[in-house]
């Protein structure tokens, strides 16, 4: 069972799931009609049903039928205890199994490291997974070891109380040194793999602050105020300054020698699900990211 959290209510169920997944609206309707979609554990049979803020929307995932196996994939553990683990995810690692990625994922690695000591409240295919990072986005991701931790963390993500700071290198230079991007995001109508700024999309808000400027690039810190799919990548492309090396959203003006977008989840802060204490973690950008920054600085001098 795959679960997504509604962080801003008001959308129709079929529209919400179309935006949150790579499925077509007609496929989503078939899932709903077949009793394979649940809101708060209760089957939802109406595509037009309104999804409310804080709702947990679950649907059956074909990837769960695959033979999931533990795999010895190296992981950088930033912190762990009996309830959670915070991981600095490497580039190229898919978070969970799905179409085209049946194995070799973070879930397979977690199964190898922790065995049954993972939250499975939403199925083995999402064991421990509370939120996601794109395959080539590096950095911090929190994993739940217990169902209790999973539920408490999920509530915080839905309530926007989790602090999420990212850093990226962009093509070109943003006009302002800081600002807020408030532009709705929905599924791209021409390419199901992409998201896009769309008038009928769901509200998406990103704060930014330029850290350094170079001749043809800038180094920027972002704070996510909402959690839409590909949010930073879509917002930057919308401004005409895509994340450098992003093959999906046009960040190819300069290859810079990196295979995948130069986007890093650097800081993650949340209330510990058991103690309630505020916990904050930071992970420096990976070597290839730092190498690009060094090269850009050298060219600027």
């Amino acid at each position: 069972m795959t679960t997504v959290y509604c962080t801003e209510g008001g959308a129709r169920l079929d529209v919400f799931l179309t935006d949150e997944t790579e499925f077509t609206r007609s496929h989503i309707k078939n899932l709903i009609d077949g009793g394979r979609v649940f809101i708060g554990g209760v089957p939802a049979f109406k595509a037009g049903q309104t999804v409310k803020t804080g709702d947990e929307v679950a649907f059956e995932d074909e990837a769960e039928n695959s033979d999931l196996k533990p795999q010895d994939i190296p992981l950088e553990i930033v912190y762990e205890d009996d309830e959670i683990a915070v991981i600095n995810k490497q580039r190229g690692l898919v978070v969970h199994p799905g179409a085209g990625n049946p194995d070799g994922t973070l879930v397979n690695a977690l199964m190898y490291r922790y065995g049954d000591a993972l939250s499975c409240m939403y199925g083995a295919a999402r064991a421990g997974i509370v939120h996601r990072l794109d395959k080539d986005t590096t950095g911090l991701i929190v994993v739940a070891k217990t169902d209790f931790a999973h539920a408490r963390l999920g509530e915080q993500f839905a309530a926007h109380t989790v602090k999420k700071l990212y850093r990226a290198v962009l093509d070109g230079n943003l006009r302002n040194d800081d600002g807020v991007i408030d532009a709705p995001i929905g599924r791209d109508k021409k390419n199901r793999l992409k998201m896009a700024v769309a008038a009928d999309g769901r509200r998406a808000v990103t704060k930014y602050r330029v850290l350094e400027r170079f001749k043809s690039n800038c180094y920027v810190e972002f704070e996510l105020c909402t959690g839409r799919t590909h949010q930073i990548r879509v917002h930057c492309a919308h401004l005409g300054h895509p994340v450098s090396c992003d093959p999906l959203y046009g960040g190819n003006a300069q290859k810079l020698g990196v295979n995948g977008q130069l986007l890093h989840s650097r800081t993650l802060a949340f209330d510990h699900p058991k103690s309630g204490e505020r916990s904050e973690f930071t992970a420096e950008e990976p070597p290839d990211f730092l190498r690009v920054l060094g090269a850009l600085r050298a060219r600027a001098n």
Side-chain angles (χ1 to χ4, degrees):
M1 194 76 71
T2 298
T3 298
V4 288
Y5 297 95
C6 179
T7 57
E8 186 175 342
R12 287 170 52 108
L13 176 59
D14 56 351
V15 173
F16 170 77
L17 284 177
T18 300
D19 288 345
E20 291 290 334
T21 70
E22 295 179 4
F23 297 144
T24 63
R25 194 161 170 179
S26 59
H27 183 68
I28 292 294
K29 186 177 186 302
N30 289 335
L31 292 180
I32 295 171
D33 291 343
R36 297 167 64 188
V37 177
F38 305 83
I39 298 179
V42 179
F45 292 103
K46 294 183 179 180
Q49 180 174 341
T50 300
V51 182
K52 299 186 293 295
T53 300
D55 278 347
E56 295 178 359
V57 182
F59 59 93
E60 292 186 6
D61 186 357
E62 295 176 358
E64 289 188 33
N65 297 324
S66 63
D67 186 15
L68 288 172
K69 295 183 176 66
Q71 291 178 295
D72 187 6
I73 300 170
L75 294 176
E76 181 183 342
I77 309 299
V78 175
Y79 171 84
E80 65 177 324
D81 57 29
D82 291 341
E83 297 289 332
I84 64 171
V86 178
I87 295 164
N88 185 13
K89 188 186 82 68
Q90 61 265 42
R91 190 182 308 283
L93 183 63
V94 175
V95 168
H96 55 69
N101 297 288
D103 56 18
T105 71
L106 176 60
V107 166
N108 298 98
L110 293 172
M111 292 172 65
Y112 181 88
R113 184 177 180 92
Y114 298 116
D116 293 333
L118 287 170
S119 166
C120 282
M121 63 188 297
Y122 299 121
R126 299 297 187 277
I129 303 304
V130 181
H131 62 125
R132 295 173 292 177
L133 291 178
D134 298 333
K135 175 183 177 182
D136 289 321
T137 297
T138 58
L140 297 176
I141 183 169
V142 61
V143 169
K145 292 185 178 182
T146 67
D147 288 354
F148 173 82
H150 200 145
R152 298 292 82 77
L153 289 169
E155 290 170 357
Q156 293 181 59
F157 275 97
H160 305 297
T161 59
V162 178
K163 179 182 179 182
K164 296 172 285 183
L165 297 182
Y166 289 71
R167 290 192 177 182
V169 174
L170 307 186
D171 286 355
N173 273 277
L174 294 170
R175 176 179 298 179
N176 299 318
D177 289 337
D178 55 66
V180 178
I181 309 166
D182 189 344
I185 291 176
R187 185 68 59 179
D188 190 299
K189 293 177 175 56
K190 296 182 180 179
N191 184 344
R192 297 293 305 166
L193 297 179
K194 298 176 66 175
M195 306 298 287
V197 168
D200 60 350
R202 297 167 63 209
R203 191 183 185 203
V205 181
T206 307
K207 296 179 181 179
Y208 70 87
R209 178 171 63 97
V210 176
L211 302 176
E212 291 184 66
R213 294 182 180 275
F214 309 105
K215 181 178 180 180
S216 300
N217 300 84
C218 57
Y219 176 39
V220 186
E221 181 174 82
F222 296 92
E223 180 175 1
L224 287 181
C225 301
T226 54
R228 307 297 175 227
T229 301
H230 300 174
Q231 181 170 317
I232 293 173
R233 299 167 68 188
V234 172
H235 274 171
C236 290
H238 177 66
L239 294 181
H241 298 289
V243 177
S244 296
C245 306
D246 187 339
L248 190 59
Y249 291 100
N252 289 319
Q254 294 187 14
K255 294 289 186 180
L256 300 177
V258 176
N259 185 23
Q261 63 271 5
L262 283 165
L263 179 61
H264 178 70
S265 171
R266 193 172 195 272
T267 300
L268 192 63
F270 50 85
D271 296 338
H272 191 280
K274 192 168 187 177
S275 70
E277 293 181 2
R278 192 68 173 173
S279 303
E280 182 166 321
F281 305 93
T282 298
E284 189 177 58
E285 293 86 329
D288 57 358
F289 195 121
L290 295 176
R291 176 185 55 76
V292 168
L293 281 179
L296 291 174
R297 288 165 182 155
R299 293 175 194 171
N301 294 330

